[in-house]
């Protein structure tokens, strides 16, 4: 069989490949491969042992292959000769060279190379090979690996999905050239197969095939001498040979360990993007393309003396990555002397420099493969494009990925299989997500007094998966199989296929997401709700007044009240407003429209809070406009000379709650608060901040509230539909872990502006306030997730309250909040019927209308682990694992939580290696194609401030981040844990596009460039010491580097193309995020640079976090221990 078969020729993504069914094809040596992962997104989710993850259902999740692998860009498979452009889309992981690079030849994938045999020379660059002692990190790998023959391993590595797994292909190894390989390498994954796994070779170059998914891996090179694996396909890279991949010039090799995908040594400094190492292609999504990542080999056998400069290359090996050594500029020479030292390399081909899986490459490949075609939701179990890809969704029966994303779209049929894989089965649901203007909002269906049609037994709502029988007179529930009579008013005849003839006229029969108008039976106390109210509660203590905050809030509210949310075509908002100010006592204001001036009423008995007025407290903005304006003018003056520094907090929430109860409506409190509430009152707190507890068993108390008072208050607020949004302006510790309890449990949002200063923080605060007041919110919300027989929802993460095991209750749910739901098996699933989820959200709209929003999703089920690993979504998996870990710190020592995360991910990857990858040496690290970024992203979670704080991180910061992440969606956690880094000097001032991102490592930065880094909360603009004077003048309006002010909070508005372009990039990024990001200017070698470096997540962190390369080695070691 030719190993090399072109996967490309295979069916398009959507279809399963013939040969791949269980990947039972003969493996590279003719043995059946155990399962090769196919999908591009490998399964990421493995539950950690420590955490119980739900077991993935098995089943045919995999929908048509489409779902499994991302289709090539066009969806069809490419012919083998072509490189697929989305590199990752293809069966091989392209880690190495970008697809577009010169084509490489791939050695026959299937050949098994015996150790010792000459590998086909791939034209990899030396880079990949690690000829020298492996870097330290590498070296452990190597040690373990030492002794293994790499070569053979390679052979065994699974071939990329695209390749057939057969005996070696007829394709001869390419000796020097990549071309063949390249193309094959990049074979797109065919539909059903997912990309192949990536293998990293451990420290050895030879790994190239290691990653099956990787390019390299694809090719199985003949075994190389253990000494080196041929570099992955990307091999041809000489350090200098490639232009910088990213585009930003890389500084000359910077000192410091190379990043994991970079080679440090060789590449010329000029290469922009990369740090100097060329080899790893930035593209790679998987492990290094070159050497298969997955196959990290142990150190090569001593056969060759290590060459001095070769650390393990990124390519397959992990070690430091070095740029290609000068001598090895090129790909492997054609000569196959893998066993021996390589001859002079052929001239280098242009390849991307990095060889361990690169997030940037994976993101770019997905954009090019899947960004041009709409994502049509009609097929069960399709894996959607990544959250970083811009794509259009067409709802044809399954909810859009903007509403629901799953960790895997093909779940195991049995709980045993789920436990074996450790991949958590979870869905991240964002019920009220905002859609782009070109997509249609969910239709509102009104069934009149009878209400929505539901199953008699499980109460599931009518949806596209219900089966009509007996000529349309009854329907069988797709969730519980119960048969229910169709109400007479809803009856409709069936056509010859068994579909109702009004199928396309009814959203609930043809779409994945829609809304029902709820009847009075769905309302509290069986009466329709009143429109909600907003109450603004302003701290007027000394700090708030002195900083200018009180005046700022009052000025902003005068205009902001005209922008309260309203229902589609309403002339004005139905929301009523009220105002309270407070310090140690509370001041209520009567702003009734008939008054000439507002009236203030003071409640000083904070121990027994009540609202002193009913009529005139909550009013319509238009009717009371002049009285409200007068009040907002007077508040700053009334408290201008205050000397009161103490504040209360719980009574403020109680006052708002009582006001909503009296008005018999739901609503939201906007509380602007500055300090720890130490005044005598219910909910009084003490300063318990203690950094000495970090890394002790008592550290968890820092995340827990210091009193149960707020939990009880939160419960009362949820019962009334009183949501609390909190704007904090602390100058010292104010116990976010306790003050945030009510906000968190009512579905509200917390915003924090430490050391608030008017001139630098005003824009950020006002933008956040405007968006928070105007965004879509559902009140008095209850969400329930129903599943088909075989799985059930067992665990929930997010900002909500639960009084029972099934209903998620939120006083308020806005368009940015997600609820993460974990599923476990309670029975077997079947491949034929798959698995279904239905999320039903009952809520009150901002106009006071009671509605039900329904989202349906069908998943495939599988009996082969390979199908599970081929249809995972790593970004969603990381979102789930981060939330799981962030909840874990409430009850367990942080070290226990970190170890459990590492253990679970090692189990996920070990299960894949054992059951799905073709047999290969233990020295190889083999990663599923869709999960090749699991190690780099997991390391980012482990290094985050919650799990591994640096000395400058405050206790409040950690509690704030913990609560924030718990309700983030997948796109937000993606950029939060792996920030976006853009080289600004490369920006095209004549286009609307962003410059190509580069990897998060100091090695990628050039002293002569300016970079922008964003993580959803902050935007850093880093300026190198050698930036051209013209760029500095154009961007900052000053003539030299030394004159740039680090105190700027906005970029100056200058009339030149570069300034306009950079400001437009900043504006574009601000619009994409749910919070207004703080702009921080960082000059190289300035004191702020340490803060900036904290976000270069592929490097070692000051707080002790491992670099990507070191962590990959550590993961490999963990996986080997599990396998042995």
């Amino acid at each position: 069989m030719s190993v090399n078969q072109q996967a490309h020729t295979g069916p398009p993504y959507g279809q399963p490949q013939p040969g791949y069914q269980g990947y039972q094809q003969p493996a590279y040596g003719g043995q059946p491969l155990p399962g090769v992962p196919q999908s591009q997104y490998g399964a990421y989710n493995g539950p950690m042992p420590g955490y119980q993850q739900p077991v993935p259902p098995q089943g045919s999740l995999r929908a048509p292959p489409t779902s499994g692998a991302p289709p090539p860009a066009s969806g069809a498979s490419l012919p083998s000769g072509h490189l697929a452009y989305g590199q990752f889309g293809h069966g091989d992981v392209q880690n190495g060279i970008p697809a577009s690079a010169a084509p490489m030849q791939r050695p026959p994938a299937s050949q098994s190379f015996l150790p010792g045999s000459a590998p086909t020379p791939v034209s990899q660059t030396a880079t990949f090979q690690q000829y020298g002692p492996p870097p330290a990190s590498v070296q452990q790998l190597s040690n373990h690996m030492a002794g293994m023959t790499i070569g053979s391993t390679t052979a065994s590595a699974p071939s990329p999905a695209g390749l057939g797994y057969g005996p070696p292909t007829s394709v001869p190894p390419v000796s020097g050239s990549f071309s063949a390989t390249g193309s094959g390498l990049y074979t797109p994954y065919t539909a059903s197969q997912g990309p192949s796994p990536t293998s990293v070779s451990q420290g050895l170059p030879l790994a190239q095939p290691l990653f099956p998914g990787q390019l390299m891996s694809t090719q199985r090179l003949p075994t190389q001498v253990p000494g080196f694996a041929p570099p992955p396909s990307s091999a041809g890279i000489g350090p200098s040979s490639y232009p910088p991949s990213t585009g930003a010039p890389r500084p000359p090799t910077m000192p410091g360990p190379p990043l994991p995908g970079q080679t440090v040594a060789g590449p010329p400094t000029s290469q922009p993007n990369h740090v100097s190492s060329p080899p790893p292609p930035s593209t790679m999504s998987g492990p290094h393309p070159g050497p298969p990542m997955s196959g990290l080999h142990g150190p090569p056998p001593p056969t060759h003396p290590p060459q001095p400069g070769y650390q393990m290359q990124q390519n397959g090996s992990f070690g430091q990555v070095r740029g290609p050594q000068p001598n090895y500029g090129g790909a492997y020479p054609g000569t196959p002397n893998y066993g021996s030292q390589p001859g002079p390399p052929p001239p280098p081909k242009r390849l991307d420099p990095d060889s361990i899986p690169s997030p940037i490459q994976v993101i770019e490949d997905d954009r090019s493969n899947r960004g041009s075609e709409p994502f049509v939701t009609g097929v069960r179990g399709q894996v959607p494009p990544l959250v970083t890809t811009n794509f259009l969704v067409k709802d044809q029966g399954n909810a859009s990925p903007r509403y629901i994303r799953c960790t895997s779209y093909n779940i195991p049929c049995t709980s045993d299989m789920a436990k074996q894989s450790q991949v958590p089965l979870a869905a991240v649901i964002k019920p009220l997500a905002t859609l782009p203007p070109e997509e249609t909002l969910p239709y509102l269906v009104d069934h009149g007094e009878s209400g929505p049609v539901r199953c008699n037994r499980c109460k599931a709502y009518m949806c596209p998966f219900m089966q009509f029988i007996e000529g349309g007179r009854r329907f069988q529930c797709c969730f519980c199989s119960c048969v229910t009579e169709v109400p007479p008013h809803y009856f409709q005849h069936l056509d010859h296929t068994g579909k109702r003839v009004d199928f396309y006229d009814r959203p609930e029969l043809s779409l994945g997401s829609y809304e029902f108008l709820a009847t009075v039976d769905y309302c509290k106390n069986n009466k329709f709700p009143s429109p909600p109210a907003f109450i603004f509660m302003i701290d007027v203590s000394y700090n708030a007044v002195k900083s200018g905050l009180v005046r700022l809030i009052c000025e902003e509210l005068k205009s902001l009240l005209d922008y309260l949310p309203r229902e589609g075509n309403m002339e004005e908002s139905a929301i009523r407003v009220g105002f309270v100010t407070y310090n140690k006592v509370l001041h209520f204001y009567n702003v009734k429209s008939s008054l000439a001036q507002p009236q203030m009423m003071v409640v000083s008995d904070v121990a027994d809070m009540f609202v002193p007025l009913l009529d005139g407290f909550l009013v319509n903005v238009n009717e009371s406009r002049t009285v409200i304006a007068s009040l907002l003018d007077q508040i700053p003056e009334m408290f201008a000379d205050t000397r009161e520094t103490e504040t209360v907090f719980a009574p403020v929430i109680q006052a708002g709650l009582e006001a909503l109860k009296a008005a018999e409506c739901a609503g939201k409190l906007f509380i602007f608060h500055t300090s720890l509430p130490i005044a005598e009152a219910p909910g009084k707190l003490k300063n318990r901040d203690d950094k000495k507890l970090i890394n002790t068993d008592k550290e968890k108390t820092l995340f827990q509230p210091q009193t149960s008072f707020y939990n009880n208050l939160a419960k009362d607020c949820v019962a009334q539909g009183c949501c609390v949004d909190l704007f904090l302006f602390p100058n010292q510790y104010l116990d976010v872990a306790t003050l945030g309890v009510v906000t968190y449990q009512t579905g509200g949002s917390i915003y924090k502006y430490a050391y608030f200063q008017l001139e630098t923080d005003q824009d950020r605060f006002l933008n956040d306030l405007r968006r928070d007041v105007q965004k879509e919110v559902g009140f008095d919300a209850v969400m329930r997730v129903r599943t088909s027989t075989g799985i059930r929802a067992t665990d929930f993460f997010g900002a909500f309250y639960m009084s029972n095991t099934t209903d998620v209750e939120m006083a308020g749910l806005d368009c940015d909040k997600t609820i993460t739901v974990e599923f476990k098996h309670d029975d077997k699933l079947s491949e034929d019927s798959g698995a279904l989820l239905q999320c039903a959200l009952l809520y009150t709209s901002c106009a006071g209308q009671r509605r039900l929003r329904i989202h349906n999703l069908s998943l495939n089920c599988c009996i082969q682990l390979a199908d599970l690993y081929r249809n995972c979504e790593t970004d969603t998996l990381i979102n789930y694992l981060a939330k799981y870990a962030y909840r874990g710190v409430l009850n367990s020592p942080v070290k226990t939580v970190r170890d459990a995360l590492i253990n679970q991910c090692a189990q996920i990857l070990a299960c894949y290696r054992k059951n799905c990858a073709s047999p290969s040496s233990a020295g190889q690290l083999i990663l599923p194609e869709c999960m090749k970024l699991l190690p780099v992203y997991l390391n980012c979670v482990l290094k985050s401030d919650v799990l591994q704080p640096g000395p400058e991180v405050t206790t409040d910061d950690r509690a704030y981040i913990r609560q924030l992440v718990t309700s983030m969606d997948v796109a937000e956690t993606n950029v939060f844990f792996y920030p976006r880094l853009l080289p600004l000097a490369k920006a095209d001032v004549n286009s609307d596009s962003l410059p190509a991102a580069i990897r998060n490592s100091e090695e990628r930065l050039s002293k002569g460039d300016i970079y922008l880094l964003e993580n959803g909360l902050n935007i850093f603009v880093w300026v190198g010491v050698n930036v051209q004077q013209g760029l500095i003048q154009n961007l900052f309006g000053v003539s030299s580097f030394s004159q740039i002010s680090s105190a700027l909070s906005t970029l100056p508005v200058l009339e030149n193309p570069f300034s306009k372009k950079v400001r437009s990039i900043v504006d574009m990024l601000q619009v994409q995020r749910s919070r207004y990001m703080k702009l921080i200017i960082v000059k190289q070698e300035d004191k702020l640079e340490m803060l900036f470096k904290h976000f270069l997540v592929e490097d070692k962190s000051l707080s002790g976090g491992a670099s990507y390369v070191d962590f990959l080695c550590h993961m490999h070691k963990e996986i080997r221990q599990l396998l042995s």
Side-chain angles (χ1 to χ4, degrees):
M1 17 207 30
S2 59
V3 167
N4 244 1
Q5 16 198 123
Q6 357 223 275
H8 328 116
T9 35
Y13 270 99
Q15 302 116 300
Q17 299 244 213
Y20 287 83
Q21 256 43 33
Y23 287 134
Q24 271 326 349
Q25 317 239 245
Y28 288 106
Q31 344 127 235
L33 281 178
V36 176
Q38 315 243 274
S39 68
Q40 153 157 29
Y41 311 97
Y44 277 95
N45 6 229
M48 317 289 238
Y51 311 133
Q52 260 67 42
Q53 315 288 114
V55 177
Q58 228 107 74
S60 58
L61 261 177
R62 108 196 346 251
T66 11
S67 60
S74 61
S77 25
L78 307 173
S80 56
H82 304 39
L83 306 173
Y85 272 84
Q87 320 213 187
F88 297 115
H90 314 91
D92 324 350
V93 175
Q94 336 255 107
N95 285 169
I97 309 122
S100 53
M104 348 182 106
Q105 298 192 264
R106 76 162 33 59
S110 58
Q111 342 184 179
S112 15
F113 301 133
L114 303 179
S117 56
T120 333
V122 177
S123 55
Q124 340 230 229
T125 47
T127 309
F128 295 97
Q129 340 200 172
Q130 184 117 24
Y131 293 94
S137 46
V138 179
Q139 95 197 19
Q140 293 98 274
L141 287 178
S142 337
N143 310 328
H144 358 301
M145 306 163 123
M148 332 209 136
T149 46
I150 282 141
S152 60
T153 5
T154 354
S156 56
S159 47
L163 314 171
Y165 294 78
T169 287
S170 51
V171 178
V174 176
S175 55
S177 69
F178 270 52
S179 38
T181 3
S183 29
L185 282 187
Y186 293 99
T187 316
Y189 309 110
T190 41
S192 70
Q193 1 187 131
S196 21
T198 307
S199 58
V200 176
S201 61
Q202 188 144 16
L204 318 129
L206 91 178
Q208 36 144 81
L210 301 184
F211 305 81
Q214 263 127 158
L215 299 178
M216 213 47 175
S217 32
T218 318
Q219 355 173 145
R220 264 339 218 259
L221 300 179
T223 31
Q224 356 252 282
V225 179
F228 32 117
S233 12
S234 51
I237 311 163
S240 40
S241 53
Y242 320 90
S245 49
T246 0
R250 279 206 210 141
T253 357
M254 305 199 101
L259 290 188
Q262 337 164 158
T263 10
V264 177
T269 57
S270 59
Q271 313 200 218
N273 226 0
H274 0 52
V275 178
S276 30
S277 47
S282 48
T283 358
M284 9 209 7
S285 56
H288 327 20
M293 193 156 183
S294 38
L296 298 175
H297 283 66
T303 358
H304 319 82
Q307 309 234 202
Y310 288 74
Q311 307 281 243
M312 327 187 120
Q313 308 296 238
Q314 247 73 63
N315 294 223
S317 30
F318 290 92
Q320 325 207 165
V321 175
R322 321 197 83 133
Q325 301 300 115
N327 303 309
Y328 294 89
Y332 280 111
T335 63
N337 33 262
Y338 280 105
S340 50
Q341 318 266 35
K349 306 234 166 38
R350 295 191 38 157
L351 304 171
D352 270 308
D354 297 343
S355 57
I356 52 183
S358 158
I360 306 304
Q361 187 65 53
V362 174
I363 289 168
E364 283 306 316
D365 286 344
D366 192 75
R367 280 185 185 141
S368 57
N369 287 333
R370 308 197 63 186
S372 52
E373 296 293 316
F375 179 70
V376 180
T377 72
V379 183
R380 184 174 81 189
Q382 289 182 94
V383 180
L386 298 181
V387 286
T388 44
T389 297
N390 255 331
F391 60 99
L392 202 62
V393 179
K394 290 196 175 162
D395 184 342
Q396 291 192 0
N398 282 290
S400 161
R402 303 191 206 289
Y403 294 124
I404 308 182
R405 275 188 178 264
C406 294
T407 53
S408 180
Y409 288 79
N410 200 334
I411 59 184
C413 283
T414 64
S415 61
D416 290 346
M417 199 173 146
K419 284 181 187 136
Q420 184 183 2
S421 73
Q422 284 288 307
V423 174
L425 303 177
V428 179
I429 305 174
K430 194 175 184 183
L432 298 180
T434 306
L435 299 184
E438 53 277 16
E439 292 179 20
T440 314
L441 292 171
Y443 288 99
L444 180 60
V445 179
D446 183 358
H447 282 313
E449 303 224 339
S450 58
V453 177
R454 305 175 68 177
C455 167
N456 273 346
R457 182 160 71 198
C458 71
K459 304 299 182 196
Y461 294 87
M462 180 54 62
C463 71
F465 311 119
M466 296 290 191
Q467 189 66 41
F468 287 87
I469 55 177
E470 296 178 23
R473 287 187 292 280
R474 303 168 84 189
F475 68 90
Q476 182 168 27
C477 178
C478 50
F479 295 95
C480 71
S481 303
C482 175
V483 174
T484 300
E485 293 283 334
V486 173
H489 71 88
Y490 197 69
F491 174 79
Q492 186 53 271
H493 294 285
L494 308 185
D495 65 13
H496 64 286
T497 65
K499 265 187 188 168
R500 284 172 53 121
V501 297
D502 61 352
F503 176 80
Y504 291 108
D505 302 329
R506 291 195 177 269
E508 72 275 20
L509 298 181
S510 54
L511 299 177
S513 301
Y514 42 87
E515 293 200 314
F516 290 121
L517 203 53
T519 59
V520 76
D521 306 333
Y522 292 85
C523 302
K524 260 188 202 160
N525 307 324
N526 279 343
K527 53 186 244 201
F528 285 111
S530 306
F534 282 1
I535 304 177
F536 298 90
M537 317 186 85
I538 307 167
D539 175 347
V540 289
S541 62
Y542 178 75
N543 279 340
V545 174
K546 185 188 62 163
S547 66
L549 180 63
V550 173
R551 186 175 298 279
L552 180 68
I553 293 168
C554 292
E555 281 301 315
E556 178 62 27
L557 287 179
K558 286 186 206 169
S559 55
L560 186 55
L561 294 178
D562 287 330
Y563 297 95
L564 298 176
R566 54 180 175 221
E567 217 59 84
N569 48 8
M570 291 174 56
E571 296 261 328
E572 62 176 49
S573 174
I575 294 172
R576 290 169 297 159
V577 299
F579 303 89
V580 171
T581 56
Y582 66 94
N583 40 44
K584 268 194 346 192
V585 297
L586 277 77
H587 321 104
F588 293 80
Y589 297 93
N590 182 344
V591 283
K592 197 171 175 180
S593 57
S594 55
L595 295 174
Q597 282 293 322
Q599 295 172 347
M600 179 198 275
M601 298 184 189
V602 179
V603 176
S604 53
D605 182 5
V606 292
D608 183 19
M609 186 46 59
F610 66 99
V611 179
L613 73 164
L614 288 179
D615 192 24
F617 179 63
L618 294 178
V619 298
N620 173 289
V621 174
N622 282 338
E623 292 172 8
S624 298
R625 182 176 298 280
T626 52
V627 192
I628 292 172
S630 172
L631 170 67
L632 295 173
D633 282 336
Q634 290 176 39
I635 288 173
E637 308 309 326
M638 277 192 285
F639 299 100
D641 301 323
T642 184
R643 285 285 167 266
E644 184 55 74
T645 56
E646 293 186 357
T647 57
V648 295
F649 184 71
V652 181
I653 297 175
Q654 289 172 323
L657 172 60
E658 292 302 322
L660 295 177
K661 274 185 184 168
E664 296 185 348
C665 67
K668 185 182 272 199
L669 312 183
F670 295 83
I671 302 179
F672 305 91
H673 190 79
T674 61
S675 61
L676 190 70
I678 54 173
E680 229 15 87
K684 170 185 172 178
L685 301 179
K686 60 180 191 291
N687 188 336
R688 53 156 186 168
D689 189 17
D690 187 359
K691 285 268 185 105
K692 292 196 290 295
L693 297 181
I694 292 179
N695 294 325
T696 69
D697 286 352
K698 290 189 176 175
E699 183 173 5
K700 60 190 177 202
T701 61
L702 297 175
F703 295 109
Q704 299 165 352
Q706 58 173 285
T707 161
S708 62
F709 182 89
Y710 289 95
N711 295 80
N712 297 325
L713 180 54
K715 185 176 172 181
D716 295 340
C717 287
V718 172
Q720 181 56 42
C722 171
C723 178
V724 179
D725 278 2
L726 190 52
F727 293 81
L728 297 173
F729 306 87
N731 288 331
Q732 68 249 331
Y733 177 73
L734 51 57
D735 203 348
V736 173
T738 304
L739 297 188
V741 167
V742 179
T743 297
Y744 184 67
Q745 294 190 23
T746 58
S749 305
I750 301 184
Y751 299 85
K752 182 164 157 289
Y753 311 88
Y755 307 106
F756 178 82
Q757 290 184 306
L758 217 53
E759 55 282 5
T760 55
D761 298 313
Q762 165 178 336
D763 283 351
R764 182 163 61 109
F765 163 59
L766 293 180
N767 275 286
D768 283 342
L769 176 60
R770 287 167 193 154
R771 190 169 189 282
D772 197 60
V773 167
Q774 296 174 47
K775 68 185 172 187
E776 181 186 359
V777 186
F779 294 93
D780 238 341
V782 183
M783 188 184 95
R784 181 175 286 191
V785 178
R786 292 179 174 84
T787 54
S788 52
T789 310
I791 54 170
R792 61 193 169 87
T794 56
D795 208 352
F796 301 85
F797 303 82
F800 53 74
Y801 173 79
M802 292 187 78
S803 56
N804 58 38
T805 58
T806 55
D807 296 334
V808 174
E809 301 174 51
M810 294 154 288
L813 174 68
D814 64 47
C815 54
D816 298 322
K817 295 285 185 305
T818 63
I819 294 93
T820 302
V821 186
E822 185 181 4
F823 303 97
K824 290 232 167 47
H825 287 75
D826 56 8
D827 202 346
K828 283 191 176 166
L829 294 164
S830 94
E831 283 190 289
D832 297 338
S833 53
L836 302 175
L837 314 179
Q838 183 179 80
C839 163
L841 177 77
L842 174 65
Y843 71 99
T844 300
S845 73
C846 56
Q849 196 174 58
R850 200 71 174 150
R851 296 182 177 179
L852 283 152
R853 179 167 290 200
I854 313 295
H855 297 298
N856 302 286
L857 186 64
S858 59
L859 302 174
N860 285 329
C861 298
C862 59
I863 53 174
Q864 299 284 345
L865 281 166
D867 292 326
L868 163 68
Y869 283 102
R870 199 174 295 133
N871 291 280
C872 287
E873 228 262 293
T874 299
D875 293 320
T876 308
L877 181 57
I878 288 292
N879 179 282
Y880 165 84
L881 292 173
K883 291 171 181 176
Y884 189 87
Y886 281 18
R887 186 177 66 185
V889 299
L890 291 173
N891 305 305
S892 306
V894 172
K895 183 178 188 308
T896 307
V897 173
R898 291 165 46 81
D899 291 346
L901 271 177
I902 294 171
N903 188 15
Q904 185 171 352
C905 289
Q907 290 203 345
I908 292 171
L909 298 174
C911 173
Y912 171 79
R913 171 61 186 267
K914 181 178 174 185
N915 300 288
C916 308
S918 51
S920 58
S921 132
Q924 285 180 299
L925 167 56
I926 299 180
L927 303 172
E929 170 68 25
C930 336
M931 287 192 174
K932 62 190 176 195
L933 298 183
L934 185 59
V936 62
Y937 285 165
L938 177 69
N939 190 36
C940 296
V941 174
L942 294 170
K943 294 201 289 188
S944 63
D945 290 339
V946 173
L947 299 181
Q948 194 163 34
E952 74 294 344
V953 180
T954 66
T955 302
D956 275 344
D957 287 334
R958 297 178 75 197
Y960 172 64
I961 295 298
R962 195 192 75 77
Q963 294 195 14
L964 208 56
V965 168
T966 306
S967 46
M968 275 185 183
D969 69 15
V970 180
E972 288 171 321
T973 52
N974 173 273
V975 76
F976 179 76
F977 289 114
Y978 192 93
R980 175 149 56 163
L981 181 59
L982 307 174
L984 296 180
K986 303 281 177 303
D988 178 357
V989 296
N990 299 314
S991 99
D992 291 337
S993 62
L994 292 173
I998 60 173
R999 294 174 65 168
N1000 281 234
S1001 171
E1002 191 174 354
E1003 298 210 280
R1004 314 279 161 150
L1005 305 179
S1006 157
K1007 292 183 176 185
D1009 204 346
I1010 299 173
Y1011 298 87
L1012 181 149
L1013 181 146
E1014 64 117 358
N1015 72 341
L1017 296 181
N1018 299 298
I1019 291 181
F1020 293 92
V1021 175
W1022 182 91
V1023 187
V1025 291
N1026 297 341
V1027 172
Q1028 295 170 4
Q1029 184 186 339
L1031 281 181
I1032 291 175
Q1033 183 70 52
N1034 285 341
L1035 188 58
F1036 299 102
V1038 295
S1039 57
S1040 69
F1041 177 82
S1042 60
Q1043 292 175 286
I1044 298 170
S1045 166
S1046 298
L1048 291 173
S1049 59
T1050 53
L1051 291 170
V1053 177
L1054 303 173
E1055 288 303 314
N1056 66 73
F1058 185 63
S1059 173
K1060 287 178 181 171
K1061 175 65 181 178
V1062 174
R1063 284 182 287 114
S1064 79
I1065 289 174
V1066 170
D1067 292 343
M1068 192 188 311
L1069 298 179
Q1070 293 285 19
V1071 171
Q1072 291 175 13
R1073 306 293 169 215
S1074 61
R1075 289 164 184 254
Y1076 195 84
M1077 296 180 281
K1078 180 176 187 173
L1079 182 74
I1080 301 169
I1081 307 294
V1082 179
K1083 294 161 70 175
Q1084 186 177 0
E1085 295 164 11
D1086 189 41
K1087 59 182 185 296
L1088 273 174
E1089 200 182 24
M1090 297 312 288
L1091 177 62
F1092 172 75
K1093 286 180 179 175
H1094 176 66
F1095 296 98
L1096 298 177
V1097 294
E1098 289 195 18
D1099 297 342
K1100 277 191 173 134
S1101 70
L1102 290 173
S1103 53
S1107 67
Y1108 176 18
V1109 172
D1110 291 346
F1111 184 71
L1112 201 52
C1113 296
H1114 178 69
M1115 282 300 290
H1116 186 203
K1117 192 172 80 184
E1118 294 281 326
I1119 292 166
R1120 292 188 53 183
Q1121 285 177 345
L1122 288 171
L1123 293 174
S1124 60

